[in-house]
Amino acid sequence: MIEIVSADKDRDIFERSWGRCLKSGLNKSITPNINPVQLEDNLLADAFKNIVGKLDGTIALTDSMLIITDKNGIVLETKSFDKSAEVNYLMKSGMALDELNAGTNAISMVLNTGKISIVRKKEHYIECFKDLSCIAAPIFDKDSNILGVIDITTCNDINDVHKVLLLFLKKTIESDYYELSAKEILNGLDVIDIEILNLLAYGYTDSQISKRIHVSISNVKYHKNKLRKIFKAKSIRDCIYKATKIGVI
């Protein structure tokens, strides 16, 4: 059975969140800020757009909006199934929906607990969300790190249709993100990168690799730095681990 955080059974979690908001001096009358910095994690947004494009016109969620955020709660993309202003005017790309900036909401709950969360209308901390209900789920990578959050926001009550759709979106986005990430990595690798990565995996030193494939040691180091950038890894060991998981080596 999937665990869902909600106020009716997890009152203490909500009270702690409300308490933090109060202690931080968060103004209940605010509208969350739009983040001016360039949004990151385009692959997560792409995975979201891929599945939402397929859903468009096939589901009867005319009361709802879908939202995808990054791991910091910054909105990457939205999709509205309700053309009415009470939903549309609130959720915009770049909006910060973490607890510090937007108080208690389903996205901030997910970021705090790592679990699927429901926040109903009057359970939100800031006033502009109190006519909305939301349910959100964490998007994980293959190592169970949170990549972002998928959220369904509605001006009605959360029901079983919202829950089923959320779980479907979560699983599909995680799968698509993995495929897009692997494809991006493969597209960035040259034959020599893969060859050097394989030799590193077998324990060869830079000097040994240099002699084996007839390139300079500085050239080996260049490709090692390139590998770390492509795999977004801090070490070659991490590169090898990630490459193994997607079948590069």
Side-chain angles (χ1 to χ4, degrees):
M1 184 176 180
I2 297 172
E3 184 179 359
I4 299 179
V5 174
S6 62
D8 54 352
K9 68 180 184 64
D10 302 296
R11 189 75 180 180
D12 58 326
I13 295 176
F14 276 72
E15 288 179 348
R16 287 197 295 271
S17 176
W18 297 328
R20 288 192 296 269
C21 295
L22 182 63
K23 187 175 181 179
S24 70
L26 184 64
N27 185 348
K28 289 186 176 184
S29 299
I30 65 163
T31 297
N33 293 328
I34 302 296
N35 195 319
V37 301
Q38 184 177 359
L39 298 176
E40 298 181 356
D41 222 332
N42 291 329
L43 292 182
L44 193 58
D46 289 343
F48 172 80
K49 287 185 284 189
N50 284 347
I51 184 57
V52 169
K54 295 174 184 176
L55 287 175
D56 198 11
T58 65
I59 55 176
L61 282 180
T62 56
D63 66 333
S64 302
M65 170 176 264
L66 307 183
I67 304 163
I68 188 81
T69 78
D70 67 10
K71 63 184 179 181
N72 298 311
I74 305 299
V75 177
L76 299 173
E77 292 283 342
T78 67
K79 172 63 179 180
S80 178
F81 294 95
D82 184 346
K83 302 306 179 184
S84 58
E86 62 263 30
V87 175
N88 279 329
Y89 86 96
L90 286 173
M91 308 301 176
K92 302 179 186 299
S93 295
M95 184 173 280
L97 295 177
D98 59 305
E99 188 179 86
L100 181 63
N101 289 287
T104 306
N105 62 80
I107 290 167
S108 69
M109 277 290 182
V110 169
L111 294 176
N112 286 335
T113 66
K115 299 175 183 177
I116 296 173
S117 301
I118 293 176
V119 178
R120 296 181 174 87
K121 296 183 178 184
K122 300 302 180 182
E123 296 163 0
H124 289 89
Y125 186 80
I126 61 176
E127 298 294 338
C128 68
F129 290 156
K130 286 187 178 292
D131 290 329
L132 302 171
S133 293
C134 49
I135 181 170
I139 303 297
F140 292 117
D141 66 13
K142 291 290 183 177
D143 296 313
S144 298
N145 300 308
I146 290 184
L147 294 168
V149 181
I150 178 67
D151 171 280
I152 302 176
T153 292
T154 174
C155 45
N156 296 318
D157 293 328
I158 298 296
N159 57 43
D160 288 341
V161 174
H162 296 114
K163 294 175 185 178
V164 171
L165 176 61
L166 183 77
L167 291 175
F168 171 75
L169 290 169
K170 167 183 165 62
K171 294 298 183 183
T172 305
I173 291 171
E174 285 174 343
S175 176
D176 281 6
Y177 180 90
Y178 174 72
E179 291 180 8
L180 289 169
S181 180
K183 185 177 180 180
E184 183 179 70
I185 288 170
L186 288 170
N187 288 341
L189 293 173
D190 297 323
V191 173
I192 189 172
D193 297 320
I194 297 174
E195 186 176 9
I196 289 174
L197 189 58
N198 273 284
L199 292 172
L200 289 166
Y202 278 107
Y204 282 71
T205 66
D206 291 1
S207 178
Q208 290 170 328
I209 293 172
S210 171
K211 292 175 182 178
R212 187 177 179 89
I213 64 175
H214 308 294
V215 298
S216 67
I217 292 178
S218 62
N219 193 259
V220 174
K221 292 183 183 297
Y222 163 79
H223 284 283
K224 287 173 68 176
N225 286 330
K226 180 183 174 183
L227 287 168
R228 281 190 285 266
K229 290 179 181 178
I230 290 174
F231 283 96
K232 298 177 182 178
K234 294 181 179 180
S235 67
I236 290 299
R237 177 179 292 182
D238 195 20
C239 290
I240 293 168
Y241 171 74
K242 292 183 176 181
T244 302
K245 295 202 77 169
I246 64 172
V248 172
I249 58 175

